[in-house]
Amino acid sequence: MLFTLGNAVDFSYPAVFNFGDSNSDTGGLVAGVAEQLNPPNGQTYFRNPSGRFCDGRLIIDFLSFKLPAQITAIISYALCMHYAVDAMDLPLLNSYLDSIGAPIFRKGCNFAAAGSTVLPATASSVSPFSFGIQVAQFFRFKIRVLELLSRGKKLAKYLPQQDYFGKGLYMLDIGQNDLAGAFYTKSVDQVIASIPVILLEFETGLKKLYYQGARRFWIHNTGPLGCLPQNIATFGKDTPKLDELRCVSSHNHAAKLFNIQLHALCKKLQFQFSEANLTYVDIFTVKINLISNYSRYGFEEPFMACCGYGGPPLNYDSWIPCGQTNNLNGTSVTAKGCDDASEHISWDGIHYTEAANQYVSSQILTGKYSDPTFSEKMPFLLKLKF
């Protein structure tokens, strides 16, 4: 049962400000901590590593919230033909941390970094850029932008206009690493018990954004963690621990409970902040449907990583990340990419392929998996192959 969170979704966003982890990181971790990202990452679309842990584009690269009438026919046709589409009438978001190449932030900025958590980072964290840090970076970004704009129009073509901060869309896709990482040191009950603490930190960050003028929020829940090849390889060695899809039951159970509580938090915040518009997006259902019916959507491998080492059934080895070469039992081995990434849902055992991201995006754009739903309020008609 869905509960209405706000008014109809507005598709006229002048800018997007994104916060998250690797699901929406367009270069944050690579630029921020000099994380190594080698080919074949990026091979499908960018032809070289682009800062994304993927063979091509991410969900955020495909999503659209502003579609001029003159291109709707093109978008509909392209989605129907399963071609790659940038549906957003906005450029691909540059990472806040990637300063090389004079990035343009006029249409928004991406603060996401792979490995980031909602809870503050620790010494062992993959990313130091937790949600709280990303929010603080946004405040710094906003202050600096307003300072520069006040000096004249010289830099206006590179920076968002002042009113974009109030009219822009604030996207949030984070929390997966808090749960997935906790399973390495905590019991299932302890992981579940930590969910309210995670969401309290999330609520704190979101409220800070609201008090700074943010009014339009797009919040993704977390996907089926138990279906990631990494987690199956690590926690799914015993058959009783797997569900009917061969995913790790405990991880998916925790993800579902997290999503229920995140949804409840969104409802509470919408009630508290009547001026805000919160859209909750059910990524879990979209992704579990893809994995359950993978062949229907043109995929051949629901679990085996395209870029990895070890061969079937998972082609995943935690010691040999995609594109890297390491010594294994005295032999130098390299995690290479498969011939056709479009046949795989998993790119590297942790992240999805561009083809899978495109499927998820196409389903999000139907409006059926959002609260409030907007399938009857879309400014265009989607004709989807999927």
Side-chain angles (χ1 to χ4, degrees), residues 284-312:
F284 185 99
T285 296
V286 175
K287 287 185 174 180
I288 203 71
N289 181 58
L290 169 60
I291 293 167
S292 302
N293 303 285
Y294 66 93
S295 60
R296 180 188 303 175
Y297 304 121
F299 294 91
E300 295 186 8
E301 296 292 345
F303 298 117
M304 191 169 76
C306 171
C307 184
Y309 179 81

Side-chain angles (χ1 to χ4, degrees), residues 158-205:
Y158 300 105
L159 305 173
Q161 296 179 27
Q162 182 173 349
D163 63 343
Y164 285 11
F165 291 103
K167 297 178 180 178
L169 179 70
Y170 291 76
M171 296 185 67
L172 300 95
D173 188 339
I174 195 167
Q176 174 173 314
N177 292 316
D178 293 87
L179 297 178
F183 273 101
Y184 286 89
T185 58
K186 297 179 179 179
S187 67
V188 176
D189 289 340
Q190 289 174 323
V191 173
I192 292 172
S194 72
I195 292 175
V197 180
I198 297 169
L199 291 179
L200 180 60
E201 186 75 15
F202 181 84
E203 179 180 2
T204 299

Side-chain angles (χ1 to χ4, degrees), residues 69 71 79 88 90 106 199 245 258 337 342 353 361:
I71 68 169
L79 281 171
M88 191 176 296
L90 299 168
R106 181 171 173 77
L199 291 179
L245 294 177
F258 176 88
S342 68
T353 60
S361 304

Side-chain angles (χ1 to χ4, degrees), residues 165-316:
F165 291 103
K167 297 178 180 178
L169 179 70
Y170 291 76
M171 296 185 67
L172 300 95
D173 188 339
I174 195 167
Q176 174 173 314
N177 292 316
D178 293 87
L179 297 178
F183 273 101
Y184 286 89
T185 58
K186 297 179 179 179
S187 67
V188 176
D189 289 340
Q190 289 174 323
V191 173
I192 292 172
S194 72
I195 292 175
V197 180
I198 297 169
L199 291 179
L200 180 60
E201 186 75 15
F202 181 84
E203 179 180 2
T204 299
L206 191 148
K207 284 183 174 179
K208 287 181 179 180
L209 293 172
Y210 178 83
Y211 293 135
Q212 278 285 324
R215 291 295 181 268
R216 302 171 181 182
F217 298 93
W218 186 271
I219 301 169
H220 287 183
N221 70 10
T222 199
L225 305 180
C227 298
L228 297 177
Q230 178 192 52
N231 290 330
I232 297 174
T234 306
F235 300 95
K237 296 176 181 178
D238 297 330
T239 302
K241 294 183 179 180
L242 302 178
D243 61 19
E244 66 278 3
L245 294 177
R246 294 185 293 128
C247 302
V248 184
S249 301
S250 57
H251 285 59
N252 280 356
H253 178 59
K256 290 176 183 178
L257 292 178
F258 176 88
N259 292 339
I260 290 171
Q261 294 181 50
L262 175 62
H263 194 183
L265 173 61
C266 289
K267 291 187 293 178
K268 185 187 80 169
L269 292 174
Q270 183 64 67
F271 178 78
Q272 289 182 359
F273 303 132
S274 58
E275 295 179 3
N277 189 301
L278 286 82
T279 300
Y280 170 89
V281 186
D282 187 5
I283 298 294
F284 185 99
T285 296
V286 175
K287 287 185 174 180
I288 203 71
N289 181 58
L290 169 60
I291 293 167
S292 302
N293 303 285
Y294 66 93
S295 60
R296 180 188 303 175
Y297 304 121
F299 294 91
E300 295 186 8
E301 296 292 345
F303 298 117
M304 191 169 76
C306 171
C307 184
Y309 179 81
L314 298 176
N315 194 37
Y316 176 81

Side-chain angles (χ1 to χ4, degrees), residues 40-72:
N41 286 290
Q43 67 179 18
T44 298
Y45 181 76
F46 300 98
R47 306 305 178 193
N48 285 297
S50 66
R52 295 160 174 80
F53 290 78
C54 182
D55 62 307
R57 286 165 290 185
L58 309 177
I59 293 171
I60 192 172
D61 295 320
F62 285 111
L63 285 181
S64 169
F65 299 94
K66 183 178 178 183
L67 287 167
Q70 62 267 31
I71 68 169
T72 57

Side-chain angles (χ1 to χ4, degrees), residues 16 25 39 57 92 101 108 111 126 153 166 181 225 319 368:
V16 173
D25 178 8
R57 286 165 290 185
L92 299 183
F111 300 90
V126 173
K153 299 181 179 180
L225 305 180
W319 293 104
K368 297 186 298 182

